Amino acid sequence: KDSVSADSTEMGLNVSYQALNNLSFAVQGLYRRAGANTGDAGEVTLDFGFVDLNLLNLQGGRIGIRGGRIKNPWGLYNETRDVAFTHPTILLPLVYFERSRTLLLALDGGQLYADYNSSIGDFSFKFNYGWMNADDKELLTAIINDPTASGHLESDASFITQLSYEIMGGEYVFALSYANLDMAYQAKNVGDPYAQMNAHIKSFMVSGQYNGENFRFV
C-alpha cells in the first residue's frame, strides 16, 4: 500500500543451440517467487529443456518431434505464461489456475508437432505425452481436502493435445485443448485411508482471441 514490494519475482535464463539444420536444443531455468500460499516461495526450477528434431520441412509447413521437459499447449498462454509481454493483462485469465500451475505447466516426455500455413489461415497441432509434475502440496490439498493425508501424488502416463487456428496474421486466434491426466496417490504411512487412490482429470478448453489495433479481446 505504501511501498513497492518484491514479493512477486520471476527471472529466467535460457540457452538454445542449432546443431544441424533439422536438430536443435533449448533449455531454460526459472526462479519464481510468488508467495508461500502459491507453492512458489522462491526456488530455481527447470522450466523446459528439450531436443527438437524436424522430421519434415515443406514449403507450407513442417512436422517434428521434441523430447525432454516440454511446455504443455493448454489454452493460449500456458506455454508462455512466464513471459510478461505475452499476457493480455497483468494477470492471466482465471482459467489458468495458479493452484494447479505445476501440474499443467510442463511434462517430461515427448511432443509431436505440425504446422501448416494455407490460404485460409495457419493451423498448428501439438500432442504431448509423458509424466506431469504431480508432487505438489497445493494440488494434493485440492484433490484430498484432508490435512492428515501424509502421502503424495505421482503422475502416470498422461497427454495434452491442442489444435489451433490463426487468420489474418494472428488478428483472430482460436484453439481447442484437451487434457487427460492420470495420477496415483502414494501412501507414506501404513493404514492411510487414501492408499490405492487414483485421480483422473479430463478437461477440455475452447479459446479465442481478437487482436485489434486499439484493443484485445480474449
Side-chain angles (χ1 to χ4, degrees):
K1 183 177 179 180
D2 298 319
S3 64
V4 175
S5 170
D7 289 340
S8 178
T9 304
E10 289 183 341
M11 292 183 289
L13 176 65
N14 65 71
V15 178
S16 62
Y17 175 63
Q18 187 77 35
L20 301 171
N21 288 337
N22 64 337
L23 180 66
S24 62
F25 301 85
V27 61
Q28 175 166 290
L30 181 71
Y31 171 82
R32 187 172 190 269
R33 182 175 60 185
N37 292 333
T38 66
D40 292 303
E43 62 180 354
V44 177
T45 60
L46 177 63
D47 191 31
F48 62 81
F50 58 83
V51 55
D52 187 324
L53 178 62
N54 192 335
L55 300 176
L56 185 63
N57 198 352
L58 303 174
Q59 183 176 1
R62 61 174 183 163
I63 299 175
I65 56 174
R66 298 183 176 112
R69 176 162 294 181
I70 306 164
K71 288 291 191 74
N72 288 318
W74 180 247
L76 300 178
Y77 293 100
N78 192 63
E79 294 172 290
T80 58
R81 65 189 301 164
D82 297 309
V83 184
F85 67 83
T86 70
H87 295 185
T89 59
I90 294 176
L91 300 176
L92 282 172
L94 295 179
V95 293
Y96 300 92
F97 302 112
E98 285 298 313
R99 196 171 191 180
S100 58
R101 169 193 168 88
T102 56
L103 178 66
L104 289 172
L105 186 65
L107 59 70
D108 296 330
Q111 179 187 81
L112 171 67
Y113 65 88
D115 302 321
Y116 180 68
N117 303 324
S118 71
S119 59
I120 60 172
D122 301 333
F123 296 87
S124 178
F125 172 77
K126 294 176 181 176
F127 181 87
N128 286 19
Y129 182 86
W131 289 261
M132 321 292 285
N133 180 13
D135 186 12
D136 182 81
K137 292 182 179 179
E138 287 293 321
L139 177 64
L140 180 62
T141 302
I143 295 178
I144 304 176
N145 188 20
D146 186 347
T148 65
S150 60
H152 65 279
L153 292 171
E154 288 186 359
S155 173
D156 292 330
S158 306
F159 72 87
I160 291 183
T161 186
Q162 182 184 85
L163 176 65
S164 63
Y165 174 59
E166 296 186 14
I167 56 176
M168 301 178 67
E171 184 174 354
Y172 295 91
V173 183
F174 305 95
L176 302 177
S177 308
Y178 177 73
N180 191 321
L181 313 179
D182 291 320
M183 293 166 285
Y185 179 78
Q186 303 297 321
K188 186 176 181 180
N189 299 327
V190 177
D192 191 317
Y194 302 104
Q196 308 301 320
M197 185 200 77
N198 294 318
H200 306 281
I201 299 176
K202 297 181 180 180
S203 185
F204 184 72
M205 182 190 292
V206 179
S207 308
Q209 180 170 302
Y210 168 72
N211 299 302
E213 181 178 355
N214 297 315
F215 72 93
R216 177 183 296 175
F217 180 76
V218 181

